[in-house]
Amino acid sequence: MGNIKRREFLKGSGAAAASTLLFSDLSANSLISGPVANKSKSLSGSHFGAFRAHVKGGQFTGVTAFEDDPNPSPMINALPSRTYAKTRVEYPMVREGFLKHGHKSDTSKRGSDKFVRVSWEKALDLVASEVKRVQKSYGYKSIYAGSYGWYCTGKLHNPQTLMNRMMKISGGFVGRIGDYSTAAAQIILPHVLGSIEVYEQQTSWPLVLKHAKNVVFWGANPLVTCQIDWDVSGHGAFPYLEQLKKAHKKGQVDVFSVDPVKNDTAMYFDSKMIQPKPNTDVAMMLGMMYYLHTSNQYDKEFIKKYTVGFKDFEEYLLGKVDNTPKTLTWASNICGIKEKDIKDFAQKLKDEKSMLMAGWGVQRADHGEQFHWTLVTLACMLGQVGVPGCGFGFSYHYSNGGTPSSYAPGLGGISTNINSSKNGPWTKYEPFNIPCARMVDMISNPGKVIDFNGKKIEYPEIKMVYWTSGNPFHHHQDRNTMIEAWKKLETFIVHEPFWTPTARMADIVLPATTEIERNDIEIIGDYNSSHIIAMKKAIDPVKESKDDYEICRLISKRLGYEEEFTDGKKSQMDWIKEFYNNSKVQGENKGIKMPTFEEFWEKGYVKFDVREEDKNFTRYEEYVKNPMLNPLGTPSGKIEISSRVIKKFNYDDCLHYPSWIEPAEWLGSEESEEYPLHVLSPHPKYRLHSQLSNTWIRDLYEVNGREPIWLNPKDAKKRGIKNGDIVKVYNKRGSTLAGAIVTKNVLPGVVKMDEGGWYDPKNPGEEKTMCKHGDVNQLTIDKGTSKLAQGNISNTALVQIEKYTKEAPHISVFEKPSIV
């Protein structure tokens, strides 16, 4: 833990009170006790932000936030604790049964078998021989290496890319399409807007603050989620959020939160709350649009000039297609919001300049494609798309979107491109990918054919899974189905710094380093690219850990392709220098003067300026000014409210216009009689997915050693549950223990349990055994959003809760597994 004051976070009644303590109330550097050390040369970065490492006696002891960070995240203070966690994988390990019997071992022992320490030579030989065996016996489509995860930053040490590069060189692998965060949106939005959109820069915050009279956070919680970036977080959105709060207090702008949960952002702004039942936002928006249409208030000129397909949608909206007009009464009966409130909300958005800032959690639901499509259609009917400070945006809550972009060059990194004239195995490899959230379905059902975005995909038979620094036994849905699928695999290989639930299920575990144990280079701020920083190695690798680059190099050497992997035996610093110098050339072409690599590495960073024109960026402004000269990437070049392409697919679960389709489970379904609570699993507050859960920061939020679950006082009273009780949460798919937080901040009939709690089975290997700790994916459904996107539906699930009256079992997932 170093010198961190872990209890400074906790106030009042412990973790229950800490759960409503806002990040805005916390200071990163205030958590470091004693005098702050002088600036260290060991500048580094993480998804939580840049920092300067404190090192004493070769040990990583603490951090000071990077001086250019306007709002450092308190989570950086847990990084030393993470580095030396009890769950650190210190040596190469092999599951005992696999070491004895190889791929013919009893695979049902995964998760309960003991591990045996072996030498690096033995471990690497095992991995290389397994890759060769599976490739030769079954072909490359028998290996799933779609490794996925947020583990680390850095342009060189990207574990997934390094492993994919190695596997491509050796002959190929089955990869993935999309991600768990935005799978539905990534597929639907190119049909509607011509781009993925959810990862695009947003209309600048300065323009939103200047022009918008209504700011709507729709299923978004930027106060929590903007603590992190895919690259190194620069936290550029927070000064603007503070300005918005001041304007809201003065009555200059109204801030709304549309969410069944009053989240941190809503509490921070004291937002006006609109709380529809989960998975019913589309119905509510349809009611809003019906009102705007029938009262003749929608922007006909915008619809006519900038969109196509409105007529098909209009017939559906008015009930001409299904004899069901989407009236205020119809919408109210589904979403639970009063008719007057739906009407007044629509009227206010129409009468005043409005910005709809939508999150991603709403599309992680059955038929999740419909949410983003419907919101775009609503924004078009309001007629404010392309207007400064108004319209819609899908990444204000992600990586500080809307923070003005700096005038900066790009920064490349390691890739899977092979620079070789040899006729090696990689030349025969034809990429084959599946939607990432269908991974378990693929392993369980070889030969099954699924629809995906107009195509048919036949699942191959997977014999090996190779994963690097990710935690699928956290982020994939329906844990028990996943465990059964894993028994079908012959081999499961993992690179991992920690004994995560995933590492515990592996046959071979290779110990990997963390960012602080290696050199790398990265940008600060996904959207604003304010700096390029040198991520400097501050300490030697813990125990026998090796960098992922080195691990993949050594395996490639055994496979006979070391030179191809290293691109002519480049060292790690050769790569880093090359990335920087390529960026420097780009900078020179743009008139940006940058120091030499040696000067950059000595100082630790290069800072870039924001031009005035970038502060005035409005998304879709150029399109709205001249749609003929600036067409969108859709077939029509316009916003497609109805899609002819999707119509040709003829899917029964995704029509060719925005529509309400009843979810598999929701509070209006028959299942709600047996399981009357809808569980939502948003991004956690004090970690990045499952990261940092194995540190002292867990003390901030856990309740009696369990993941917290929020439930409304009315629901708690019915079940005799009090604040702090251990409860059992269950449905037909599984069960888990949790710690109750009774709060009015969640809608009656709804419970909130953050994703990312480490899976800790009570009886490993036993069918549908209860999780002792709080893995919400014991409860979720492993089903695709629709035939269009096949995304995950983690926020579509019903549960029941009861007070747990037995003796609470010991939490063991934060201890090392059994080791021979």
Side-chain angles (χ1 to χ4, degrees), residues 156-180:
L156 175 61
H157 295 290
N158 183 312
Q160 299 98 294
T161 304
L162 291 167
M163 183 268 292
N164 288 167
R165 180 182 177 88
M166 176 189 77
M167 294 301 293
K168 180 179 178 180
I169 290 170
S170 72
F173 60 95
V174 174
R176 60 177 172 83
I177 302 170
D179 56 40
Y180 284 81

Short mmCIF file of all heavy atoms in Angstrom, two decimals, residues 156-180:
data_model
loop_
_atom_site.label_atom_id
_atom_site.label_comp_id
_atom_site.label_asym_id
_atom_site.label_seq_id
_atom_site.Cartn_x
_atom_site.Cartn_y
_atom_site.Cartn_z
N LEU A 156 4.01 0.30 -27.56
CA LEU A 156 4.76 -0.93 -27.82
C LEU A 156 4.15 -2.11 -27.07
O LEU A 156 3.88 -3.14 -27.65
CB LEU A 156 6.23 -0.76 -27.43
CG LEU A 156 7.08 -2.03 -27.56
CD1 LEU A 156 7.10 -2.53 -29.00
CD2 LEU A 156 8.50 -1.79 -27.05
N HIS A 157 3.96 -1.92 -25.77
CA HIS A 157 3.54 -3.05 -24.93
C HIS A 157 2.02 -3.18 -24.89
O HIS A 157 1.40 -3.11 -23.82
CB HIS A 157 4.13 -2.91 -23.53
CG HIS A 157 5.61 -3.00 -23.51
ND1 HIS A 157 6.29 -4.18 -23.76
CD2 HIS A 157 6.56 -2.05 -23.33
CE1 HIS A 157 7.59 -3.95 -23.70
NE2 HIS A 157 7.79 -2.68 -23.45
N ASN A 158 1.43 -3.36 -26.07
CA ASN A 158 0.01 -3.65 -26.17
C ASN A 158 -0.12 -5.16 -26.23
O ASN A 158 0.16 -5.78 -27.26
CB ASN A 158 -0.57 -3.01 -27.44
CG ASN A 158 -2.07 -3.23 -27.56
OD1 ASN A 158 -2.56 -4.34 -27.40
ND2 ASN A 158 -2.78 -2.17 -27.86
N PRO A 159 -0.51 -5.81 -25.14
CA PRO A 159 -0.45 -7.28 -25.07
C PRO A 159 -1.23 -7.97 -26.18
O PRO A 159 -0.74 -8.94 -26.77
CB PRO A 159 -1.04 -7.59 -23.69
CG PRO A 159 -0.82 -6.36 -22.89
CD PRO A 159 -0.97 -5.22 -23.85
N GLN A 160 -2.44 -7.48 -26.48
CA GLN A 160 -3.24 -8.15 -27.49
C GLN A 160 -2.58 -8.08 -28.86
O GLN A 160 -2.52 -9.07 -29.60
CB GLN A 160 -4.64 -7.53 -27.57
CG GLN A 160 -5.44 -7.63 -26.30
CD GLN A 160 -5.38 -6.36 -25.49
OE1 GLN A 160 -4.33 -5.99 -24.99
NE2 GLN A 160 -6.51 -5.68 -25.33
N THR A 161 -2.09 -6.88 -29.22
CA THR A 161 -1.46 -6.71 -30.53
C THR A 161 -0.20 -7.56 -30.64
O THR A 161 0.06 -8.18 -31.68
CB THR A 161 -1.13 -5.24 -30.78
OG1 THR A 161 -2.32 -4.46 -30.66
CG2 THR A 161 -0.55 -5.04 -32.17
N LEU A 162 0.59 -7.59 -29.58
CA LEU A 162 1.82 -8.38 -29.60
C LEU A 162 1.52 -9.87 -29.77
O LEU A 162 2.15 -10.56 -30.58
CB LEU A 162 2.61 -8.15 -28.30
CG LEU A 162 3.22 -6.76 -28.14
CD1 LEU A 162 3.71 -6.55 -26.71
CD2 LEU A 162 4.38 -6.56 -29.12
N MET A 163 0.54 -10.36 -29.03
CA MET A 163 0.17 -11.77 -29.14
C MET A 163 -0.43 -12.07 -30.52
O MET A 163 -0.12 -13.09 -31.14
CB MET A 163 -0.80 -12.13 -28.02
CG MET A 163 -1.21 -13.60 -27.99
SD MET A 163 -2.71 -13.90 -28.95
CE MET A 163 -3.92 -13.05 -27.95
N ASN A 164 -1.28 -11.17 -31.01
CA ASN A 164 -1.85 -11.37 -32.35
C ASN A 164 -0.78 -11.35 -33.43
O ASN A 164 -0.85 -12.11 -34.40
CB ASN A 164 -2.90 -10.30 -32.64
CG ASN A 164 -4.20 -10.47 -31.87
OD1 ASN A 164 -5.01 -9.58 -31.81
ND2 ASN A 164 -4.38 -11.63 -31.24
N ARG A 165 0.23 -10.48 -33.26
CA ARG A 165 1.35 -10.43 -34.21
C ARG A 165 2.09 -11.77 -34.22
O ARG A 165 2.37 -12.33 -35.28
CB ARG A 165 2.30 -9.29 -33.80
CG ARG A 165 3.52 -9.12 -34.70
CD ARG A 165 4.42 -8.00 -34.16
NE ARG A 165 5.62 -7.84 -34.94
CZ ARG A 165 5.74 -7.06 -36.02
NH1 ARG A 165 4.70 -6.36 -36.43
NH2 ARG A 165 6.88 -6.98 -36.69
N MET A 166 2.35 -12.27 -33.03
CA MET A 166 3.05 -13.56 -32.90
C MET A 166 2.23 -14.68 -33.52
O MET A 166 2.75 -15.52 -34.27
CB MET A 166 3.31 -13.85 -31.42
CG MET A 166 3.93 -15.19 -31.14
SD MET A 166 3.94 -15.53 -29.36
CE MET A 166 2.23 -16.00 -29.09
N MET A 167 0.91 -14.70 -33.25
CA MET A 167 0.07 -15.77 -33.75
C MET A 167 -0.13 -15.68 -35.26
O MET A 167 -0.23 -16.69 -35.96
CB MET A 167 -1.28 -15.75 -33.03
CG MET A 167 -1.20 -16.09 -31.55
SD MET A 167 -0.51 -17.72 -31.23
CE MET A 167 -1.79 -18.75 -31.92
N LYS A 168 -0.18 -14.46 -35.79
CA LYS A 168 -0.29 -14.29 -37.24
C LYS A 168 0.96 -14.84 -37.92
O LYS A 168 0.87 -15.55 -38.94
CB LYS A 168 -0.47 -12.82 -37.58
CG LYS A 168 -0.58 -12.55 -39.07
CD LYS A 168 -0.79 -11.06 -39.35
CE LYS A 168 -0.84 -10.78 -40.84
NZ LYS A 168 -1.03 -9.33 -41.13
N ILE A 169 2.12 -14.52 -37.35
CA ILE A 169 3.37 -15.00 -37.92
C ILE A 169 3.41 -16.53 -37.93
O ILE A 169 3.88 -17.15 -38.88
CB ILE A 169 4.57 -14.44 -37.13
CG1 ILE A 169 4.71 -12.93 -37.39
CG2 ILE A 169 5.87 -15.16 -37.50
CD1 ILE A 169 5.71 -12.25 -36.49
N SER A 170 2.86 -17.14 -36.89
CA SER A 170 2.92 -18.60 -36.79
C SER A 170 1.89 -19.30 -37.67
O SER A 170 1.91 -20.52 -37.80
CB SER A 170 2.71 -19.02 -35.33
OG SER A 170 1.37 -18.84 -34.94
N GLY A 171 0.95 -18.54 -38.24
CA GLY A 171 -0.01 -19.17 -39.14
C GLY A 171 -1.42 -18.65 -39.06
O GLY A 171 -2.23 -18.93 -39.93
N GLY A 172 -1.76 -17.91 -38.00
CA GLY A 172 -3.08 -17.30 -37.95
C GLY A 172 -3.88 -17.68 -36.72
O GLY A 172 -3.46 -18.49 -35.89
N PHE A 173 -5.08 -17.11 -36.63
CA PHE A 173 -5.94 -17.30 -35.47
C PHE A 173 -7.32 -16.76 -35.80
O PHE A 173 -7.50 -16.01 -36.76
CB PHE A 173 -5.37 -16.57 -34.26
CG PHE A 173 -5.22 -15.07 -34.46
CD1 PHE A 173 -6.21 -14.19 -34.04
CD2 PHE A 173 -4.09 -14.54 -35.09
CE1 PHE A 173 -6.09 -12.82 -34.23
CE2 PHE A 173 -3.96 -13.16 -35.29
CZ PHE A 173 -4.97 -12.30 -34.86
N VAL A 174 -8.29 -17.11 -35.00
CA VAL A 174 -9.61 -16.51 -35.08
C VAL A 174 -9.60 -15.26 -34.20
O VAL A 174 -9.20 -15.32 -33.03
CB VAL A 174 -10.71 -17.49 -34.60
CG1 VAL A 174 -12.07 -16.79 -34.54
CG2 VAL A 174 -10.75 -18.70 -35.51
N GLY A 175 -10.00 -14.14 -34.78
CA GLY A 175 -10.01 -12.89 -34.03
C GLY A 175 -11.43 -12.42 -33.73
O GLY A 175 -12.39 -13.19 -33.85
N ARG A 176 -11.55 -11.15 -33.39
CA ARG A 176 -12.84 -10.62 -32.97
C ARG A 176 -13.18 -9.35 -33.75
O ARG A 176 -12.31 -8.64 -34.24
CB ARG A 176 -12.84 -10.29 -31.47
CG ARG A 176 -11.80 -9.25 -31.08
CD ARG A 176 -11.87 -8.89 -29.61
NE ARG A 176 -10.75 -8.03 -29.23
CZ ARG A 176 -10.73 -6.72 -29.40
NH1 ARG A 176 -11.75 -6.11 -29.95
NH2 ARG A 176 -9.67 -6.01 -29.02
N ILE A 177 -14.46 -9.07 -33.82
CA ILE A 177 -14.98 -7.82 -34.37
C ILE A 177 -15.66 -7.07 -33.24
O ILE A 177 -16.45 -7.65 -32.49
CB ILE A 177 -16.00 -8.09 -35.49
CG1 ILE A 177 -15.38 -8.92 -36.62
CG2 ILE A 177 -16.56 -6.78 -36.04
CD1 ILE A 177 -16.40 -9.42 -37.62
N GLY A 178 -15.39 -5.79 -33.13
CA GLY A 178 -16.08 -4.97 -32.14
C GLY A 178 -15.57 -5.18 -30.74
O GLY A 178 -14.50 -5.74 -30.50
N ASP A 179 -16.37 -4.71 -29.77
CA ASP A 179 -15.98 -4.81 -28.37
C ASP A 179 -17.21 -4.98 -27.50
O ASP A 179 -18.34 -4.97 -27.98
CB ASP A 179 -15.15 -3.59 -27.95
CG ASP A 179 -15.86 -2.27 -28.19
OD1 ASP A 179 -17.09 -2.19 -27.97
OD2 ASP A 179 -15.20 -1.30 -28.60
N TYR A 180 -16.99 -5.13 -26.21
CA TYR A 180 -18.10 -5.29 -25.28
C TYR A 180 -18.74 -3.95 -24.92
O TYR A 180 -19.86 -3.92 -24.42
CB TYR A 180 -17.63 -5.99 -24.00
CG TYR A 180 -17.41 -7.47 -24.16
CD1 TYR A 180 -16.23 -7.96 -24.72
CD2 TYR A 180 -18.37 -8.39 -23.78
CE1 TYR A 180 -16.02 -9.33 -24.89
CE2 TYR A 180 -18.18 -9.75 -23.93
CZ TYR A 180 -17.00 -10.21 -24.49
OH TYR A 180 -16.80 -11.57 -24.66
#
